[in-house]
Amino acid sequence: MSTPPRQILILGGGFAGVYTARYLEKLLRPEEAAITLVNRENYWVYQPMLPEVISGSIGITNVVSPIRRFCPRTNLVMREVEDIDLKNQVVTTSPGFRPRQLRLQYDHLVIALGSVSNFYGMPGLMENAMPFRTLADAIVLRNHLIHVLEEADVEENPELRAKLLTFVVGGGGFSGVEVMAELNDFVHAVKKNYLRLRDQPHRCVIVQADDRILPEMSETLAAFAHKILRKRGVEVLLGDRLVSATSERAILQSGIEIHCKTLISTVPSAPPPVLRKLDCEKEWGKLLVNTGLELKDYEGRVWALGDCASIKTVAGTRVPPTAQHAIREATTAAINIAASVRGGKRDEFAFEGLGTMGSLGHGAAVAQILGIKLSGLIAWFLWRCIYLMKMPGLNRKVRIATDWLLRLLFPPELAQTKVAPEPSIKKQHFEPGDIVFHQGDLGDNVYVITEGECDVLREQDGSQRLLATLGHGDYFGEMALLSDKTRNATIRARSAMNVLIIPKFDFNSLRENVPAFGDVFSQLAKRRAFAGQQHSGLGSDAGRVDP
Ligand SMILES: Cc1cc2nc3c(=O)[nH]c(=O)nc-3n(C[C@H](O)[C@H](O)[C@H](O)COP(=O)(O)OP(=O)(O)OC[C@H]3O[C@@H](n4cnc5c(N)ncnc54)[C@H](O)[C@@H]3O)c2cc1C
């Protein structure tokens, strides 16, 4: 009798996750393994080119690659990973359109969830500093830059105009330097289109905690990069760091305050929250693995790689969080997973890196490859060739090469691709008989009826009982949110009904910060629970059960 395929579950669709899936597709036949990958987007981001989205050198969707095309034999689940249960080998994801979580059982697990910005202990940064990791971050920053330029053009107050024209980046590593270089190039290039800004100076500042920028590179190349940035008008503050921020200023450890409306932070980073509660050995919050990239106590079953893992090579070198390492780690993990599935030789991570490269924008870069140091135009040309070659798919390569060519011929795009943010509280309409939610669903929203009526129904022993009818001004759905349990009644529209929907996050924020609001719902929930028990012995999720 043939054995069913092993369930391989990969969490995270960045460099580490997608390359693991791709290698596994090559190493294992479909009869041997079913591969599933969970990621919150259906694409992976080619982060080394992300800063070029700021200036529009590369079109927005050309820096991402659809996972379904890159890994054609992998099942993609576009959801948020909410919980990892290592003991029972189950991963729980967020609900989708239907408010039910997915539970994914696995035989082998790969954790490759990258990192997130961590502003713990830095008041005001969460609210005011823009991160730069995802495609959404790049688009938001680009739109924000255009917005401040538009405002600066009409602003009469010189102080506010100066703030609008000041740009601060926290972090002088690769991403900080590349972001600032692109931002500065963009502002320089488009300022001439703003009649009142043409002759106005703008200020760009990099704040770096170390005593030099680009600590990943040799001192001479870092000094070259520093000189180029200074020549282009970028100030570099060394030996200082961001400690807090308001909507008007960035505050540094030294006490310096920089008045600005644009603050970007590329440091510090931490593993994603879902990994913080994971019960396993960690180092600086990262998952500690052996040279086979296996999690301690879960060898042969769980692997961790990429930015979320703490890895040492066979030679004992600590592995830096870069894309070139993540891709090689994926090869090691895939070989070892295949060995666990069907036996065979195992691999140990021994890659020591090929070198480092960083773009300084505007025809300059620094590169240190296989011991050779390059800077200026030649390094910039090499940077472009290497990253273009590494970009998967001819389609993407042609698009990016075309974007670069067009950028050489024409000025950068200045149109703002503004997308209206989803309103958190929104309206919805239901026709008679429509179900608002089912008993057993997760509590995701609270509803306020603005027009029409609905029935509160309890399913019990295969039958459905009417508990109550609600009308204009009534609200429902709060019980599941307050108790963090699933819905214990179904709500069905009795007539055409309009409601206001308050999502869980906003409901909880209001409850925590406006005590009177919270009290109303807590007391209502108590009354309803009591009335529900009188009715059915179970407690009611919703409903004026004694109308
Ligand atoms: C601006 C910038 C420039 C860079 N430039 C370079 C460079 O030039 N060269 C280089 O080698 N490296 C560079 N890096 C670093 C490199 O991109 C990272 O080291 C690499 O992306 C790490 O890969 P990863 O798979 O571990 O994480 P990521 O690529 O971050 O992927 C993690 C994935 O997990 C997903 N995820 C996270 N949490 C959840 C969750 N709870 N549920 C579902 N999905 C989740 C994320 O959406 C993401 O898709 C750069 C990084 C940045 C930010």
Side-chain angles (χ1 to χ4, degrees), residues 100-176:
R100 297 266 165 136
Q101 289 170 313
L102 263 186
R103 284 167 61 80
L104 302 164
Q105 198 84 40
Y106 64 82
D107 296 309
H108 302 286
L109 179 71
V110 177
I111 305 175
L113 290 169
S115 56
V116 293
S117 298
N118 174 17
F119 297 133
Y120 181 76
M122 301 160 95
L125 261 85
M126 183 64 121
E127 298 81 0
N128 299 298
M130 303 165 89
F132 196 83
R133 286 171 186 280
T134 66
L135 180 62
D137 294 340
I139 298 171
V140 168
L141 176 57
R142 182 181 151 76
N143 282 335
H144 171 85
L145 291 179
I146 298 173
H147 190 185
V148 291
L149 291 174
E150 296 293 344
E151 282 298 314
D153 194 52
V154 292
E155 185 52 58
E156 300 288 348
N157 179 325
E159 269 176 34
L160 179 53
R161 192 188 304 145
K163 267 189 221 172
L164 289 162
L165 292 176
T166 300
F167 309 93
V168 179
V169 171
F174 274 121
S175 43

Side-chain angles (χ1 to χ4, degrees), residues 278-477:
L278 213 59
D279 186 20
C280 64
E281 268 197 54
K282 294 179 191 153
E283 218 172 30
W284 302 296
K286 293 184 172 197
L287 309 183
L288 185 66
V289 293
N290 60 21
T291 49
L293 308 184
E294 294 154 307
L295 210 58
K296 190 159 176 266
D297 298 329
Y298 297 93
E299 287 86 355
R301 201 167 286 285
V302 183
W303 286 260
L305 50 152
D307 287 6
C308 69
S310 173
I311 305 172
K312 274 191 185 160
T313 63
V314 177
T317 318
R318 186 161 297 290
V319 176
T322 74
Q324 59 166 314
H325 287 87
I327 293 171
R328 270 76 176 193
E329 290 157 24
T331 319
T332 298
I335 291 173
N336 292 341
I337 295 168
S340 292
V341 171
R342 63 144 89 117
K345 203 165 168 289
R346 302 174 72 83
D347 191 34
E348 287 193 285
F349 191 68
F351 178 69
E352 294 289 341
L354 294 173
T356 43
M357 287 193 293
S359 168
L360 304 173
H362 209 67
V366 277
Q368 192 173 321
I369 299 168
L370 300 169
I372 303 166
K373 292 178 195 163
L374 298 165
S375 57
L377 188 65
I378 184 159
W380 179 76
F381 188 68
L382 195 72
W383 185 96
R384 288 205 154 180
C385 290
I386 290 181
Y387 280 116
L388 191 64
M389 255 162 39
K390 288 186 170 210
M391 186 75 179
L394 182 64
N395 169 348
R396 283 277 176 294
K397 285 189 175 69
V398 173
R399 284 168 195 251
I400 290 173
T402 312
D403 282 345
W404 280 342
L405 182 68
L406 292 176
R407 181 67 190 85
L408 288 177
L409 301 175
F410 302 108
E413 183 54 71
L414 187 50
Q416 198 187 31
T417 44
K418 207 170 182 173
V419 186
E422 274 244 317
S424 46
I425 296 181
K426 52 187 181 225
K427 293 178 180 170
Q428 188 53 276
H429 172 76
F430 294 91
E431 283 291 307
D434 284 354
I435 301 290
V436 180
F437 55 71
H438 288 94
Q439 190 170 323
D441 283 352
L442 283 176
D444 49 358
N445 301 304
V446 169
Y447 301 79
V448 182
I449 304 175
T450 55
E451 214 178 326
E453 287 188 327
C454 66
D455 289 332
V456 183
L457 303 162
R458 168 72 47 80
E459 328 253 345
Q460 207 173 358
D461 306 326
S463 65
Q464 207 173 48
R465 225 152 44 82
L466 176 67
L467 292 185
T469 297
L470 305 179
H472 173 76
D474 284 335
Y475 21 87
F476 57 90

